Amino acid sequence: MKPTSVSNRQSTLLRKLNKKKYRHKEKLFLIEGDRAVQQVITNSAISVRALFFDENQQYWRDERWAEAAQQVDVSVMDEALFAEVSDTDNPQGVLAICEMPQETTITDLQSQKGIILALDALQDPGNLGTIIRTASWFGATGILSGKGTVDLFNPKVVRATAGATGSVPHLNGNLSALLKELQKEGWPVFMLDTGEGAESLSDIASVDKAIIVVGNEAHGIQADLQAVPLRRIRIAPPQKNVQVESLNAAIATSIALYELTATLK
Amino acid sequence: MKPTSVSNRQSTLLRKLNKKKYRHKEKLFLIEGDRAVQQVITNSAISVRALFFDENQQYWRDERWAEAAQQVDVSVMDEALFAEVSDTDNPQGVLAICEMPQETTITDLQSQKGIILALDALQDPGNLGTIIRTASWFGATGILSGKGTVDLFNPKVVRATAGATGSVPHLNGNLSALLKELQKEGWPVFMLDTGEGAESLSDIASVDKAIIVVGNEAHGIQADLQAVPLRRIRIAPPQKNVQVESLNAAIATSIALYELTATLK
């Protein structure tokens, strides 16, 4: 392959795509790193628009990229520009511009079964990416993303999904409104809580569908969600004295996904 | 309180404690940040040796530190020195030197029941810290740390434990030797695996004790462990087509801890 040098238009686009506003305006996002880009190339859920390499690393000469290069534009850029558009401290020298998958609709979600995650002001990109990865593993029906939740297509989130970006239907919106629409169709809403008054996760009887609400790492759920009727559930520790205040948000969500997926009728 | 300026001896010690070698030589480690330091002060498992504040932030004037200051040395330092000894990009202006808790012994572990985690070359500090936090929540019996596993008292690990550092008995050593010693006393060894030939985690019958071996994030378990007789277990996805290759190591470990803790006799 003979890649061309990156154009000014492309380098401007790459810089812009590090910002949420432009990602959603252009309906494009970035994926970085050898393994992640290889995964997205072989992943039917996401279309790759263009590939970029750091020219000094001669990385693009690797024959693993040959097939992809026949289907999308490939450009090279110098190390300084690569470092500038990269979101990582140690860029691996390859990144892809990808097309953002379309959002699902509330009507589509209403008609389904399974588990939906509702993320309320979840702020840590690593936690969000890990939750998307776990949701993909357990075949979750959808992910609702409320106000204050980090962008699902943020580069750090995308990295933490380990290839799961786009594999779970997602919908951004006002969480309390979305939850009410789903409740109309019989979806029960559970909220992860650390309080002792909550029901134990392991006591939840078999369900055919369920929503798990995940609150902010430090502050729990926001005020407007407190008006939504929901059941508080808790991952109860077996012993009386627990030194740590809570589980990590991604861990608690994943355990709840595991347990409720297993109870699905 | 009237804190003194940090001495040269102390600032040298603080710098050294960012290195594993010195932490284990001095049997001391660092905890940084408001919440984490408050937690360790109220945490009986860990002794605080000294507290340090960024003098410019006037943070040490907060009365929340008054009681602790009566029991340990308190020093202030300028912002530049604080930034140098801090492991974080945005230091919060408070850190503590703490005494490393003593290791447990294989004899002590042999005589117990419950769940022991065995970490084989686990390299991500965030994953390790999160695993310690989850192990503390579920009251795990112990954590074995093998060659190549990041230091349990690394500042990034300590931060990710969210106050759980020191709350689970730990032992560093040759994992295959330690596992054999425990097997002699009837401890079954399970290893997390993503292969389809492995037993499903949810099919494991009730146990009174179990060891969960966790491999490296990218490369699985090391060669010398493969000679240890163990049962491969897998967190099976419910659907046939799974887009993502595996679960995150901390997520898989936490789900296994949750499930096996629930089956404990």
Side-chain angles (χ1 to χ4, degrees):
Chain A
M1 91 175 126
K2 287 189 178 177
T4 55
S5 278
V6 68
S7 67
N8 284 339
R9 198 181 55 80
Q10 283 173 315
S11 60
T12 303
L13 178 61
L14 286 169
R15 280 191 199 92
K16 281 184 174 175
L17 293 180
N18 278 300
K19 294 191 176 156
K20 178 180 175 179
K21 185 172 104 177
Y22 289 105
R23 284 195 293 272
H24 288 267
K25 188 179 159 200
E26 305 285 348
K27 302 283 177 209
L28 297 171
F29 70 103
L30 301 176
I31 293 187
E32 250 193 86
D34 186 320
R35 193 164 179 161
V37 175
Q38 283 286 343
Q39 274 173 334
V40 77
I41 286 170
T42 55
N43 166 351
S44 58
I46 300 281
S47 295
V48 176
R49 177 76 68 88
L51 282 175
F52 300 87
F53 294 93
D54 173 349
E55 63 185 359
N56 294 354
Q57 294 193 28
Q58 299 284 318
Y59 197 50
W60 51 270
R61 293 187 187 275
D62 192 319
E63 64 183 20
R64 292 178 306 132
W65 304 107
E67 197 184 325
Q70 292 183 344
Q71 290 159 37
V72 300
D73 280 348
V74 177
S75 311
V76 294
M77 58 186 118
D78 64 33
E79 203 181 338
L81 180 58
F82 201 99
E84 191 191 329
V85 300
S86 167
D87 177 65
T88 64
D89 290 336
N90 299 298
Q92 286 185 296
V94 52
L95 65 80
I97 293 184
C98 301
E99 294 176 16
M100 201 177 275
Q102 266 203 313
E103 287 196 351
T104 185
T105 62
I106 193 70
T107 319
D108 185 59
L109 290 175
Q110 277 174 328
S111 68
Q112 298 202 48
K113 295 185 173 183
I115 314 284
I116 292 174
L117 296 178
L119 310 176
D120 179 39
L122 197 80
Q123 291 186 317
D124 183 87
N127 277 346
L128 178 56
T130 303
I131 286 172
I132 294 170
R133 180 175 177 181
T134 310
S136 178
W137 182 264
F138 287 117
T141 303
I143 294 175
L144 307 177
S145 166
K147 195 178 162 189
T149 293
V150 60
D151 179 28
L152 273 66
F153 299 93
N154 170 303
K156 290 185 178 64
V157 174
V158 170
R159 211 151 48 239
T161 70
T165 296
S167 63
V168 182
H170 72 280
L171 182 57
N172 293 298
N174 178 298
L175 271 198
S176 56
L178 294 174
L179 293 179
K180 281 173 193 160
E181 289 298 314
L182 290 164
Q183 281 180 319
K184 279 185 201 166
E185 298 299 319
W187 284 80
V189 182
F190 298 95
M191 192 192 74
L192 289 170
D193 195 348
T194 55
E196 294 198 8
E199 294 173 73
S200 178
L201 171 66
S202 51
D203 292 341
I204 306 294
S206 182
V207 290
D208 63 354
K209 53 190 176 185
I211 301 169
I212 304 170
V213 179
V214 185
N216 174 270
E217 290 90 343
H219 308 294
I221 63 165
Q222 297 184 74
D224 69 332
L225 268 188
Q226 307 202 356
V228 177
L230 45 75
R231 289 165 65 180
R232 290 170 194 266
I233 53 170
R234 175 169 187 257
I235 298 164
Q239 78 281 23
K240 281 203 172 157
N241 292 317
V242 185
Q243 181 162 323
V244 69
E245 283 175 19
S246 63
L247 290 167
N248 163 283
I251 298 292
T253 307
S254 299
I255 290 174
L257 253 172
Y258 168 79
E259 180 71 44
L260 290 182
T261 300
T263 75
L264 283 178
K265 284 175 196 165
Chain B
M1 102 174 115
K2 285 188 180 177
T4 55
S5 279
V6 68
S7 67
N8 285 339
R9 199 180 55 80
Q10 283 173 315
S11 60
T12 303
L13 179 62
L14 286 169
R15 280 192 199 92
K16 281 185 174 176
L17 293 180
N18 278 299
K19 293 190 177 158
K20 179 179 174 179
K21 186 173 100 177
Y22 289 105
R23 285 195 292 271
H24 288 267
K25 189 180 158 200
E26 304 285 348
K27 303 282 177 208
L28 297 172
F29 70 103
L30 300 176
I31 293 186
E32 250 194 83
D34 186 322
R35 193 163 179 160
V37 175
Q38 282 286 341
Q39 274 172 334
V40 78
I41 286 171
T42 55
N43 167 353
S44 57
I46 300 282
S47 294
V48 177
R49 176 78 66 88
L51 282 176
F52 299 87
F53 295 93
D54 173 350
E55 65 185 359
N56 294 353
Q57 294 193 29
Q58 299 282 317
Y59 197 49
W60 50 270
R61 292 187 188 274
D62 193 318
E63 63 183 18
R64 292 178 305 132
W65 305 106
E67 197 185 325
Q70 291 183 345
Q71 290 158 38
V72 299
D73 279 347
V74 177
S75 311
V76 294
M77 58 186 120
D78 65 33
E79 201 179 342
L81 180 59
F82 200 98
E84 192 192 328
V85 299
S86 167
D87 177 67
T88 65
D89 290 337
N90 299 298
Q92 286 185 294
V94 53
L95 65 80
I97 292 183
C98 302
E99 294 175 17
M100 202 177 274
Q102 266 203 313
E103 286 197 351
T104 184
T105 62
I106 192 70
T107 319
D108 185 60
L109 291 174
Q110 277 173 329
S111 67
Q112 297 204 45
K113 295 186 173 184
I115 314 285
I116 292 174
L117 297 178
L119 310 176
D120 179 38
L122 197 81
Q123 291 186 316
D124 183 88
N127 278 345
L128 177 56
T130 303
I131 286 172
I132 295 170
R133 179 175 176 180
T134 309
S136 178
W137 182 264
F138 287 118
T141 303
I143 294 175
L144 308 178
S145 165
K147 196 179 160 188
T149 293
V150 60
D151 179 29
L152 274 66
F153 299 94
N154 170 304
K156 289 186 178 65
V157 173
V158 170
R159 211 151 49 239
T161 70
T165 296
S167 63
V168 181
H170 72 281
L171 182 59
N172 291 298
N174 179 300
L175 271 198
S176 56
L178 295 174
L179 293 179
K180 281 172 195 160
E181 289 298 314
L182 290 164
Q183 282 180 319
K184 277 185 203 165
E185 299 299 321
W187 284 79
V189 182
F190 297 96
M191 192 191 74
L192 290 170
D193 194 347
T194 56
E196 295 199 5
E199 295 173 73
S200 177
L201 172 66
S202 51
D203 292 340
I204 306 295
S206 183
V207 290
D208 63 355
K209 53 189 176 185
I211 301 169
I212 304 170
V213 179
V214 186
N216 174 270
E217 290 90 343
H219 307 294
I221 63 165
Q222 297 183 75
D224 69 330
L225 267 188
Q226 308 204 358
V228 177
L230 45 73
R231 289 165 66 181
R232 289 169 195 266
I233 53 170
R234 176 170 186 255
I235 298 164
Q239 78 282 21
K240 281 201 173 160
N241 292 316
V242 186
Q243 182 161 322
V244 69
E245 282 174 22
S246 62
L247 290 167
N248 163 283
I251 298 292
T253 307
S254 299
I255 290 174
L257 252 173
Y258 167 78
E259 181 71 44
L260 290 182
T261 300
T263 75
L264 283 178
K265 281 173 197 166

